[in-house]
Amino acid sequence: MTEDKKMTEPEPGSVPEQAEEKAEEKQLNAVEEKEEKRENGGDRNGEAAGSARPAEDEFVHPEGGWGWVVMLASMWCNGSVFGIQNAFGILFVYLLQEFGSEDDPDLRFRTAWVGSLSMGVIFFCSPIVSVFTDLLGCRITAVGGAAVGLVGLLASSFVKSLGPLYFTYGVVFACGCSFAYQPSLVILGHYFKRRLGLVNGIVTAGSSVFTVSLPPLMSALLKNIGLQNTLRVMCVFMFVLMLAGLTYKPLLPKPVSSGKSRGRCSALRRVFNVQIWKSLGYRIWAFGIPAALYGYFVPYVHLMKHVEERFGTDANKEVLLMCIGITSGIGRLIFGRVADYVPWVHKVFLQVASFLVIGLMSMMIPLCNIFGGLIAVCLLMGLFDGCFICIMAPIAFELVGPQNVSQAIGFLLGMMSVPMTVGPPIAGFLRDYLGSYDVAFYLAGIPPIIGGAVLCLIPWVEQRERRKRQQKESDADANGMLEQMPGQQGDMTKAENPESVI
C-alpha cells in the first residue's frame, strides 16, 4: 500500500506541479498588470481605461450644475485669447503705419513676426503649462496666466518701436495667454463626459464670437483713440479672464498610489508623463496635426493686406474675418454636437476632411477676383476651422484617457508652435520679394492636405491595437478558467497519463 501511494503521488517535476507553478505565475503577472494599469490611469482608449480605473468609475460627472458656469468662463477664455490673436490682421495694418515705412523691403516680414511669435509662444508654452496644471491645478494656473497676460498687454501699450513688441506682445502676453488657455480645456472633463463634445463646441465657439465682434471694435478704437490706447482697452478682457479662472473648481479624484517607490514614480509622471507616448495613434496625431498647420495662421495675418492690394483700401476687409468667425462658431456648435454621437475613429476623419477643405480654400484666395468669391471662401474656411478646433479635446480624451489628457493636449499644442510661428513670416517674406501674396497663399494650402493624409493612418493603427488587446483579454480569460479548476486539471492530467498511477 505504501508503495502504491508513492507511485500515485506526482513527482517534483511532473506535469500537474508545473501547471500549478505556471498558474501561480500567470496570476501574479495579472495582478501586477492590473496594478500598473491602475497606477498609469488606465489603458489608452476610453473603453479599456474605464475598466482599469475603479476610482474613475465611481465618479459621476455632474453633466451640468456649476459646470455651466465653468463652461461660460472657459468660453470667455477662448474668446479673449484667440479673438485678440485672430484680429491681429487689423493690428498688422496699423503696426505697418506706426513703426515702419514703405521704403523698408523687409517691413511685412519683420512686422508679421509680432503676431506669429505671439501665436507660436501660446502653443510653445503648452507642455510647461500642462505640468503646472497637474501640479498646481487648473484654477491657480489659469488665474496666474491671465495676470501675466494683462501685464504683457499693458506693457505693449507703452512701446515706441517694433523691437520691444517682440518681447511684450510676442512673449509675455502670449505666455500668459497660454497659461490661461489650456486649463480651460482640461477643467471641462471634470464636469462633463456624455456632453463633452457639445460643451467643447460651445466653449471653442467663444473665439468665433470674439473674432466676429473684435475686428469692427478694434478698427473703431484704432481710428479714434490710436494704437496705444486700444491695447489698454484690450487689457479689460484679460482682467475679466482672471475672474473667470476663479471658477475652475476641480472635481476628478487624483490617482491613488501606494508605497514610497510608487509615490515617487507618480510624482515623476506628473512632471513628465511618458505614458501618452506609448500610444502609436497619439504619436501619429501629435505629429500629423503640426504638419498640417504651417499655413493655418497665414490668412489671419495677411488676408487684410491682400484685400487692400487686390480690391483697394476702401474694401470692407473686416467683413472677411467676421465671415470666418461666424461660420467657425456655427461649425463648432454643429460638429461638437455631432462628435457626441460619432465613434472616436470617425472623429479623426472629421479632422481629415477639415484639413482638406482648409487647404483648398487657402489656395482659392488668390483666384478670387471678385469680393463675393472671397466671402464664400472665408465662409467655408471658417466652417471647417470650427470642425477641426472643437473635436481636438474629445479625441485627446479618448486616445489617452482623462488622467493623461492635460499633458497630451499640452505636448500637442507645443509641437504646433513651430508651424504656427514660421508660417506668417515666410508668407510676408514671399510678398516682399515677389510683389504679391499669390504664391504665399498657394503654398499655405499644401501642408493641411499633407497633414490630413497622415491622420488617415490613425484609425487603422488603433483598430490593430484594439484587436491585440482583445486577443490578450481572451487569452487571460481562458487562463483564468484553467486556474479555477486545478483539481480537474490534475484529474485530466492523470487520465491523459494512465502510466503514472500504475
Side-chain angles (χ1 to χ4, degrees):
M1 292 290 294
T2 306
E3 292 179 359
D4 292 341
K5 286 182 180 179
K6 288 182 180 178
M7 292 179 66
T8 57
E9 289 177 358
E11 296 294 328
S14 65
V15 175
E17 187 170 326
Q18 291 177 357
E20 289 178 3
E21 290 177 357
K22 287 182 178 179
E24 290 177 0
E25 184 179 352
K26 288 178 180 177
Q27 189 174 4
L28 202 60
N29 291 336
V31 171
E32 290 177 354
E33 187 177 355
K34 287 180 181 178
E35 288 293 328
E36 184 180 356
K37 282 184 178 180
R38 188 178 296 112
E39 185 180 348
N40 291 337
D43 219 0
R44 288 180 293 113
N45 69 327
E47 297 171 2
S51 61
R53 290 190 295 270
E56 193 174 304
D57 285 340
E58 295 173 2
F59 175 75
V60 178
H61 294 75
E63 301 292 345
W66 184 253
W68 298 120
V69 178
V70 174
M71 183 196 73
L72 292 175
S74 299
M75 184 178 179
W76 179 273
C77 174
N78 275 257
S80 57
V81 169
F82 289 105
I84 294 174
Q85 295 293 332
N86 293 342
F88 181 76
I90 305 295
L91 287 177
F92 180 73
V93 176
Y94 281 84
L95 288 174
L96 292 175
Q97 300 172 3
E98 188 83 14
F99 300 125
S101 100
E102 290 296 332
D103 297 332
D104 186 356
D106 297 324
L107 178 61
R108 291 168 187 80
F109 173 73
R110 293 189 300 105
T111 307
W113 267 110
V114 177
S116 62
L117 183 63
S118 179
M119 183 65 83
V121 167
I122 288 177
F123 295 108
F124 180 77
C125 292
S126 295
I128 303 171
V129 177
S130 64
V131 175
F132 275 86
T133 303
D134 287 342
L135 294 176
L136 303 178
C138 294
R139 180 185 293 172
I140 296 177
T141 306
V143 173
V148 173
L150 173 62
V151 171
L153 197 57
L154 184 62
S156 300
S157 68
F158 294 97
V159 167
K160 299 298 182 183
S161 62
L162 192 62
L165 272 180
Y166 294 141
F167 178 72
T168 59
Y169 189 94
V171 176
V172 179
F173 169 63
C175 185
C177 289
S178 181
F179 274 77
Y181 165 65
Q182 192 174 327
S184 71
L185 297 180
V186 176
I187 195 64
L188 297 175
H190 290 242
Y191 289 87
F192 300 94
K193 185 176 182 181
R194 181 170 51 86
R195 298 174 175 172
L196 187 59
L198 172 63
V199 170
N200 269 280
I202 296 173
V203 166
T204 54
S207 63
S208 301
V209 173
F210 278 66
T211 301
V212 171
S213 57
L214 274 182
L217 174 63
M218 290 181 67
S219 295
L221 290 173
L222 288 166
K223 290 176 182 177
N224 294 317
I225 62 176
L227 178 63
Q228 282 74 21
N229 288 325
T230 299
L231 293 175
R232 290 164 194 159
V233 171
M234 294 295 105
C235 292
V236 176
F237 292 89
M238 305 309 294
F239 177 75
V240 177
L241 183 54
M242 290 175 58
L243 302 179
L246 295 174
T247 66
Y248 296 168
K249 180 182 177 181
L251 293 183
L252 273 178
K254 294 182 179 179
V256 180
S257 58
S258 60
K260 292 183 178 179
S261 61
R262 286 179 183 171
R264 287 193 295 269
C265 291
S266 178
L268 182 61
R269 188 176 296 111
R270 290 171 69 188
V271 175
F272 185 77
N273 191 345
V274 298
Q275 186 70 19
I276 59 176
W277 298 104
K278 294 181 180 179
S279 167
L280 179 57
Y282 174 77
R283 293 201 300 269
I284 296 174
W285 192 58
F287 284 96
I289 287 182
L293 295 179
Y294 276 92
Y296 175 83
F297 197 45
V298 170
Y300 288 100
V301 174
H302 295 287
L303 184 59
M304 301 296 99
K305 197 63 181 175
H306 168 73
V307 171
E308 281 191 359
E309 296 177 355
R310 179 67 60 90
F311 300 102
T313 56
D314 295 332
N316 190 11
K317 53 186 178 296
E318 290 85 3
V319 75
L320 297 177
L321 286 181
M322 293 176 63
C323 290
I324 293 177
I326 291 172
T327 53
S328 181
I330 294 172
R332 295 174 198 210
L333 294 174
I334 293 175
F335 290 106
R337 189 58 175 166
V338 168
D340 289 333
Y341 301 101
V342 173
W344 78 266
V345 171
H346 297 158
K347 291 188 182 76
V348 174
F349 287 127
L350 286 177
Q351 281 196 328
V352 171
S354 300
F355 283 134
L356 292 177
V357 174
I358 289 172
L360 291 174
M361 291 303 103
S362 295
M363 293 179 171
M364 290 291 292
I365 290 175
L367 300 177
C368 295
N369 294 318
I370 58 174
F371 196 75
L374 204 54
I375 289 177
V377 166
C378 290
L379 289 173
L380 270 175
M381 183 181 290
L383 183 68
F384 284 91
D385 167 77
C387 175
F388 157 65
I389 295 284
C390 74
I391 58 178
M392 280 185 63
I395 289 177
F397 271 96
E398 292 176 348
L399 275 175
V400 300
Q403 298 292 350
N404 301 319
V405 75
S406 176
Q407 294 201 27
I409 294 176
F411 281 105
L412 173 66
L413 297 178
M415 296 179 70
M416 288 165 56
S417 64
V418 175
M420 298 289 278
T421 302
V422 303
I426 291 175
F429 174 82
L430 292 172
R431 162 60 185 84
D432 287 334
Y433 284 90
L434 296 178
S436 74
Y437 281 107
D438 292 359
V439 174
F441 284 116
Y442 289 139
L443 294 178
I446 296 175
I449 297 174
I450 296 176
V454 172
L455 294 184
C456 290
L457 297 174
I458 296 177
W460 175 75
V461 167
E462 286 298 314
Q463 286 173 0
R464 187 187 64 178
E465 293 295 321
R466 187 180 293 111
R467 284 195 294 268
K468 288 182 180 179
R469 285 194 298 270
Q470 290 173 350
Q471 184 63 38
K472 273 188 177 182
E473 289 172 1
S474 62
D475 292 343
D477 292 340
N479 292 332
M481 293 176 63
L482 291 175
E483 291 169 10
Q484 292 174 1
M485 300 183 296
Q488 296 179 14
Q489 186 178 1
D491 294 340
M492 289 174 64
T493 306
K494 290 177 184 178
E496 290 173 0
N497 299 279
E499 296 180 358
S500 63
V501 296
I502 297 175

